[in-house]
Amino acid sequence: MTEDIIIQISNRIKEKRKAKGITIQELADKAEVSKGLISQIENNRTVPSLLVLINIIRALNLDLNEFFNEIDQQSQQSRVIIKQKSSYQEFEKEPAKGFQYKRILTKNVKHFPVDIVMLELKKGARRSQIVKTDAYEYKYIIKGKVEYLIDSEKYILEEGDSLFFDGRLGHKPANIGEDTAQILVVYFFLENEK
């Protein structure tokens, strides 16, 4: 499976950290960055600068060449991509009870990464903390009833409704329906505008 390089780097950092038994706080201390930044990088919520990325790789005691050689850099030129449901990869963005993420596809579109994800929220699932993502987010409610708190405003969405917003605004979803909610999520990552 070919994934966008930025997503692969994030996943690789998390994978190597866990394999070495290092906590997020320990890695943050060694790389001289905040725990929150490591969490955001690992969960594809922000893209690290080159200097921060190199510090993280060194803090994990990894060889830079080896780290990047293992990243799949083949760009798929196919104009048609089919993804079977069985190939969706489960992942964790951040610990939240009742949240199940499955990555459908990550692809560069005009040099910008797009990440397409299926999110299931179990009945009563809600995030306790506000989160931010360095991406624009599109949500389509396939099933259920969901409340989104975005920048202190509440939005109620039901089956067939959709939502598009700047993920840098503080936000959190909650399943307020009677059953599991299913949401198609598309993240549009843009170059850092700082």
Side-chain angles (χ1 to χ4, degrees):
M1 179 178 126
T2 305
E3 288 187 328
D4 178 78
I5 293 171
I6 293 170
I7 304 297
Q8 287 185 61
I9 288 170
S10 297
N11 292 342
R12 186 128 184 84
I13 289 169
K14 182 185 258 184
E15 177 185 298
K16 290 294 187 182
R17 177 185 61 75
K18 287 184 171 184
K20 291 179 177 272
I22 300 171
T23 67
I24 291 175
Q25 185 63 62
E26 289 168 337
L27 179 56
D29 292 344
K30 287 181 182 181
E32 298 180 355
V33 297
S34 72
K35 177 182 175 182
L37 180 60
I38 296 290
S39 180
Q40 287 185 329
I41 292 167
E42 285 189 358
N43 295 311
N44 304 311
R45 292 201 176 277
T46 193
V47 178
S49 69
L50 183 56
L51 182 60
V52 168
L53 178 58
I54 290 169
N55 286 345
I56 291 169
I57 294 168
R58 287 189 176 142
L60 287 167
N61 294 319
L62 299 172
D63 177 80
L64 287 172
N65 290 328
E66 183 182 313
F67 181 87
F68 287 106
N69 283 341
E70 294 176 3
I71 301 293
D72 179 11
Q73 297 183 33
Q74 301 171 1
S75 63
Q76 192 171 21
Q77 297 302 320
S78 174
R79 292 170 60 181
V80 177
I81 299 171
I82 306 233
K83 299 293 290 184
Q84 300 297 324
K85 183 178 176 181
S86 61
S87 71
Y88 298 174
Q89 292 184 324
E90 249 185 75
F91 68 100
E92 183 179 282
K93 272 189 128 10
E94 58 272 313
K97 190 175 180 185
F99 282 60
Q100 181 185 40
Y101 289 92
K102 289 186 180 178
R103 178 160 287 116
I104 298 172
L105 176 71
T106 301
K107 184 87 175 116
N108 263 344
V109 178
K110 301 284 185 186
H111 306 291
F112 294 107
V114 175
D115 195 17
I116 304 169
V117 170
M118 184 67 66
L119 170 59
E120 283 190 2
L121 298 177
K122 302 294 180 202
K123 181 179 176 182
R126 62 179 54 246
R127 201 177 289 295
S128 59
Q129 304 255 343
I130 297 282
V131 295
K132 294 182 180 183
T133 307
D134 281 341
Y136 286 91
E137 298 188 25
Y138 173 78
K139 318 277 182 158
Y140 177 83
I141 310 304
I142 296 171
K143 180 173 90 172
K145 186 174 183 179
V146 179
E147 175 189 277
Y148 262 92
L149 179 67
I150 303 173
D151 204 26
S152 302
E153 292 269 340
K154 283 186 183 178
Y155 303 91
I156 306 297
L157 302 167
E158 297 186 38
E159 186 174 316
D161 294 341
S162 63
L163 170 70
F164 182 81
F165 65 98
D166 185 338
R168 293 169 292 190
L169 297 172
H171 59 279
K172 66 178 183 176
N175 181 347
I176 59 172
E178 296 301 314
D179 297 307
T180 296
Q182 201 170 36
I183 307 166
L184 178 68
V185 183
V186 182
Y187 299 99
F188 300 92
F189 291 92
L190 301 178
E191 285 185 27
N192 202 343
E193 297 176 354
K194 292 177 185 175

